[in-house]
């Protein structure tokens, strides 16, 4: 199993080999707190990665050790300190960074899962939807990092971790002077290319031990669509544009929004041109499809100009109107364009029809405030996997209100980008569940402190509702407000229906409709 600490996929640190003697042993406790349990692997920089446990908080951790410490470990420790300032569901949490002089180590969140490098190496290239979801998670994470003025500097299939619960997290920030927000975004294109082809484009995304991409006789990169049947043309364009230095790279948040739009589309071929290219003045644009769209736009402009020219000539001999029209008004007796449309259609124009917003495992997580055991972590994915036989099965409590131990528990939904929500539906195994919908500006962290902040600061939408059936549709959302982080919060449970007493319920499905 690959874990955090994958390291930059180029060469080992200039300080040379590390951990050549005094190797840590199983059972050793570092800083009187972190017990080493299993040596997982050595990363490309020669550091050792261990699975361990925090004996105080009793949670699993990953420990990345380097020998020696001191000046030679400054980069690693500083990167860890910087990373600890950014809390995001798609970034590995950093807990501690310690320099003992003889050795240094960073303590981080343990992620049950494997690196994208291993997953693709074992199972082969991914389908378009999965590759898009992973790239979207990385772009979201980078947007959070870049918003603080920092750069990640180490986006790679080895630092892209896929949790067993479907969560995608980016690990091991190691930026140096050669890195920038642009290189971070370009490497998301490299990860997309690798997920779709199983190869890493060295020239475009950085040297690596992974096999280089295929190229033609002139050294030009072969597109994913040329290497594999079934890669949508739109995704092929997006990947190649991100790797093409002639095409201006978008900001990470713009890329995240574009990938979210693609991720939510029923058909990749119907999503239209890349939205973030509208502000790019860089030529040439590689995509044939985008060139065709550009030519089509010019034709439309030419036709419109010709029509107005003909009208101007035709009307030049007519008397000037006696009334003037101010901006955004119409002459007396004239209807607005909306009025004309209503008259043409025989009634008011239709509002857009809400569409299902696809949810994946990496877009949901369990919120379990203080006094909770966080034992349900990872089960949220069962509410959005489309399998009726799976569910988030709450634990059994002695009282319906969670035994007065906490305010409740819930599922946090991250839509990836602010969206207009029409309704949210929750399907349960039994009636009698009291639920509350809440929303906030961000996810402060998948940990006890973050869950506590969510419950204390998120705004409530409507009043708590006790269900009288097994499905409840919430329509408490404001059409003028956009939402990205929404919490379905359970505050009271029904009696267990399995004859074993207590209070519990299964949350079988959560779905969201919007625009």
């Amino acid at each position: 199993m690959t874990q955090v600490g994958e390291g930059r996929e180029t060469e080992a640190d200039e300080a040379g080999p590390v951990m050549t003697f005094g190797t840590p042993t199983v059972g050793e406790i570092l800083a009187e707190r972190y017990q080493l349990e299993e040596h997982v692997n050595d990363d490309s920089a020669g550091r050792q990665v261990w699975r361990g446990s925090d004996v105080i908080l009793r949670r699993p951790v990953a420990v990345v050790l380097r020998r020696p410490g001191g000046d030679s470990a400054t980069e690693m420790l500083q990167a860890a300190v910087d990373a600890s300032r950014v809390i995001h569901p798609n970034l590995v949490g950093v807990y501690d960074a310690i320099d003992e002089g003889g050795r240094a180590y960073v303590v981080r969140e343990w992620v049950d899962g494997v690196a994208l490098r291993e997953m693709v190496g074992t199972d082969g290239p991914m389908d378009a939807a999965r590759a898009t979801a992973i790239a979207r998670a990385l772009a979201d994470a980078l947007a959070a990092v870049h918003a603080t003025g920092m750069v990640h500097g180490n986006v790679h299939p080895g630092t892209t971790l896929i949790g067993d619960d479907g969560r995608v997290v980016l690990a091991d920030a190691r930026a140096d002077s050669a890195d920038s927000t642009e290189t971070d975004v370009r490497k998301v294109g490299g990860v997309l290319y690798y997920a779709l082809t199983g190869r890493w484009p060295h020239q475009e995304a950085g040297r690596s031990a992974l096999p280089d991409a295929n190229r033609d006789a002139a050294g030009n990169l072969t597109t994913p669509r040329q290497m594999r049947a079934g890669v949508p043309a739109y995704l092929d364009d997006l990947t190649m544009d991100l790797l093409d230095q002639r095409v201006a790279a978008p900001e990470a948040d713009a890329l995240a929004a574009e990938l979210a739009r693609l991720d939510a589309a029923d058909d990749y071929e119907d999503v239209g041109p890349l939205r973030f290219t509208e502000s790019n003045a860089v030529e040439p644009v590689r995509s044939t499809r985008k060139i065709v769209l550009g030519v089509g736009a010019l034709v439309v402009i030419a036709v419109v100009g010709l029509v107005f020219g003909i009208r101007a000539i035709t009307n030049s001999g007519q008397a000037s109107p006696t009334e003037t029209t101010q901006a955004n008004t119409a002459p007396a007796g004239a209807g607005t364009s909306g009025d004309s449309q209503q008259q043409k259609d025989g009634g008011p124009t239709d509002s857009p029809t809400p569409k299902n917003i696809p949810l994946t495992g990496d877009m949901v997580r369990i919120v379990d405030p203080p006094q909770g055991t966080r034992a349900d972590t990872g089960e949220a994915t069962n509410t959005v996997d489309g399998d009726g036989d799976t569910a988030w099965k709450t634990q059994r409590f002695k009282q319906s209100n969670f035994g007065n131990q906490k305010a409740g528990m819930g599922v946090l939904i991250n839509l990836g980008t602010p969206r207009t929500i029409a309704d949210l539906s929750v399907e349960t195994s039994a009636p009698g569940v009291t639920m509350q919908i809440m929303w906030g500006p961000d996810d402060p962290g998948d940990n006890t402190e973050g869950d506590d902040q969510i419950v204390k600061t998120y705004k409530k939408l409507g009043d708590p509702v006790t269900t009288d059936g097994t499905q409840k549709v919430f329509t408490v959302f404001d059409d003028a407000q956009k939402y990205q982080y929404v919490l379905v919060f359970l505050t009271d449970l029904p009696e267990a229906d399995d004859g074993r007493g207590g209070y519990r319920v299964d949350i079988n499905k959560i779905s969201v409709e919007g625009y």
Side-chain angles (χ1 to χ4, degrees), residues 385-513:
D385 61 2
D387 186 347
D389 295 329
T390 63
W392 165 33
K393 301 177 183 294
T394 70
Q395 299 178 62
R396 194 180 306 271
F397 295 87
K398 294 181 180 180
Q399 298 178 37
S400 63
N401 61 350
F402 296 89
N404 287 320
Q405 295 177 349
K406 52 192 173 186
M409 295 179 68
V411 175
L412 178 64
I413 305 168
N414 177 4
L415 296 176
T417 188
R419 305 284 292 266
T420 300
I421 299 178
D423 60 65
L424 185 152
S425 173
V426 183
E427 295 182 14
T428 62
S429 60
V433 187
T434 302
M435 290 183 279
Q436 170 86 63
I437 304 299
M438 305 164 70
W439 77 281
D442 56 21
D443 179 357
D446 186 5
N447 48 55
T448 299
E449 294 78 10
D451 290 354
D452 186 33
Q453 185 175 339
I454 285 174
V455 174
K456 289 180 178 179
T457 63
Y458 268 35
K459 297 179 181 179
K460 298 178 180 179
L461 295 175
D463 297 321
V465 175
T466 301
T467 63
D468 54 8
T470 57
Q471 181 176 16
K472 174 60 182 176
V473 179
F474 292 90
T475 57
V476 294
F477 303 95
D478 183 353
D479 289 343
Q481 175 69 52
K482 291 186 181 296
Y483 307 86
Q484 179 171 345
Y485 298 92
V486 178
L487 176 66
V488 179
F489 198 56
L490 315 184
T491 59
D492 211 80
L493 302 176
E495 290 188 35
D497 58 3
D498 55 8
R500 296 170 54 192
Y503 297 83
R504 61 167 307 280
V505 75
D506 295 348
I507 305 300
N508 299 315
K509 181 180 179 181
I510 296 176
S511 58
V512 178
E513 289 198 344

Side-chain angles (χ1 to χ4, degrees), residues 272-316:
L274 309 187
R275 286 181 176 174
F276 58 72
T277 61
E278 293 174 1
S279 61
N280 293 345
V282 179
E283 294 292 344
V285 177
R286 189 199 59 79
S287 169
T288 302
R289 183 179 180 188
K290 282 179 276 184
I291 292 172
V292 170
L293 288 168
V295 172
L298 291 176
V299 170
V300 171
I301 292 172
V303 170
V304 171
L306 179 61
V307 170
F308 275 99
I310 293 172
R311 287 182 177 177
I313 294 172
T314 303
N315 295 333
S316 62

Side-chain angles (χ1 to χ4, degrees), residues 45-60:
R47 300 171 300 174
Q48 286 195 358
V49 183
W50 286 74
R51 177 177 58 81
S53 62
D54 183 333
V55 298
I56 295 178
L57 295 182
R58 297 184 180 180
R59 63 181 176 185

Side-chain angles (χ1 to χ4, degrees), residues 161-248:
L161 307 181
I162 316 297
D164 292 341
D165 59 355
R167 177 180 169 219
V168 179
V169 288
L170 182 59
D172 199 25
R174 294 190 67 197
D176 59 29
S177 58
D179 296 307
S180 65
T181 56
E182 179 180 345
T183 58
D184 275 353
V185 170
R186 298 280 186 200
K187 288 186 178 182
V188 176
V191 170
L192 259 176
Y193 193 96
Y194 179 77
L196 293 169
T197 68
R199 292 179 174 272
W200 177 257
H202 290 197
Q203 181 179 335
E204 294 79 10
R207 302 291 299 174
S208 170
L210 294 171
D212 191 13
N214 292 339
R215 301 177 185 276
D216 61 22
N220 297 316
L221 191 63
T222 302
T223 73
R225 191 174 172 88
Q226 290 171 326
M227 293 181 64
R228 272 186 70 202
V231 176
Y234 179 86
L235 188 59
D236 191 73
D237 287 347
L238 173 59
T239 303
M240 296 300 291
D241 283 345
L242 289 173
L243 294 172
D244 190 343
Q245 294 290 336
R246 299 170 300 174
V247 178

Side-chain angles (χ1 to χ4, degrees), residues 64-410:
V64 185
L65 298 108
R66 188 191 196 287
R67 183 182 180 92
D71 292 342
S72 62
T74 299
E75 179 192 355
M76 179 185 80
L77 295 173
Q78 186 58 53
V81 171
D82 291 342
S84 69
R85 298 171 183 164
V86 186
I87 299 175
H88 190 276
N90 298 122
L91 288 170
V92 167
V94 178
Y95 303 144
D96 217 339
I98 299 172
D99 184 4
E100 295 180 346
R103 63 184 177 183
Y105 42 91
V106 173
V107 182
R108 300 180 177 178
E109 173 188 5
W110 174 265
V111 179
D112 284 317
V114 297
L116 176 64
R117 179 176 64 184
E118 288 185 354
M119 181 173 287
V120 172
T122 301
D123 301 333
M126 295 179 165
D127 61 57
R130 187 65 176 130
T132 300
I134 290 172
R136 173 186 178 181
L138 296 186
D140 274 334
L142 290 175
V145 172
H146 295 173
T148 67
M150 295 188 294
V151 174
H152 187 276
N154 198 19
V155 181
H156 185 271
T159 58
T160 302
L161 307 181
I162 316 297
D164 292 341
D165 59 355
R167 177 180 169 219
V168 179
V169 288
L170 182 59
D172 199 25
R174 294 190 67 197
D176 59 29
S177 58
D179 296 307
S180 65
T181 56
E182 179 180 345
T183 58
D184 275 353
V185 170
R186 298 280 186 200
K187 288 186 178 182
V188 176
V191 170
L192 259 176
Y193 193 96
Y194 179 77
L196 293 169
T197 68
R199 292 179 174 272
W200 177 257
H202 290 197
Q203 181 179 335
E204 294 79 10
R207 302 291 299 174
S208 170
L210 294 171
D212 191 13
N214 292 339
R215 301 177 185 276
D216 61 22
N220 297 316
L221 191 63
T222 302
T223 73
R225 191 174 172 88
Q226 290 171 326
M227 293 181 64
R228 272 186 70 202
V231 176
Y234 179 86
L235 188 59
D236 191 73
D237 287 347
L238 173 59
T239 303
M240 296 300 291
D241 283 345
L242 289 173
L243 294 172
D244 190 343
Q245 294 290 336
R246 299 170 300 174
V247 178
E251 298 295 328
D253 56 353
L255 176 59
E258 184 66 17
L259 288 165
R261 186 168 72 105
L262 179 59
D263 202 17
D266 295 328
D267 185 349
Y268 283 13
E269 301 301 336
D270 293 336
V271 293
L274 309 187
R275 286 181 176 174
F276 58 72
T277 61
E278 293 174 1
S279 61
N280 293 345
V282 179
E283 294 292 344
V285 177
R286 189 199 59 79
S287 169
T288 302
R289 183 179 180 188
K290 282 179 276 184
I291 292 172
V292 170
L293 288 168
V295 172
L298 291 176
V299 170
V300 171
I301 292 172
V303 170
V304 171
L306 179 61
V307 170
F308 275 99
I310 293 172
R311 287 182 177 177
I313 294 172
T314 303
N315 295 333
S316 62
Q318 297 178 359
S320 299
T322 57
E323 298 182 5
T324 59
T325 303
Q326 297 181 3
N328 299 321
T329 66
T336 64
S337 60
D339 294 334
S340 299
Q341 183 64 42
Q342 291 181 19
Q343 293 168 8
K344 179 179 179 181
D345 294 343
T349 55
D350 294 332
S351 300
T353 302
K355 295 181 60 176
N356 177 257
I357 300 176
L359 301 177
T360 57
D362 59 338
M363 298 169 68
V364 293
R365 73 172 184 86
I366 299 296
V367 169
D368 192 0
Q371 307 305 317
T373 63
R374 293 181 63 79
D376 295 354
T377 298
E379 289 197 29
T381 187
N382 294 335
T383 67
V384 296
D385 61 2
D387 186 347
D389 295 329
T390 63
W392 165 33
K393 301 177 183 294
T394 70
Q395 299 178 62
R396 194 180 306 271
F397 295 87
K398 294 181 180 180
Q399 298 178 37
S400 63
N401 61 350
F402 296 89
N404 287 320
Q405 295 177 349
K406 52 192 173 186
M409 295 179 68

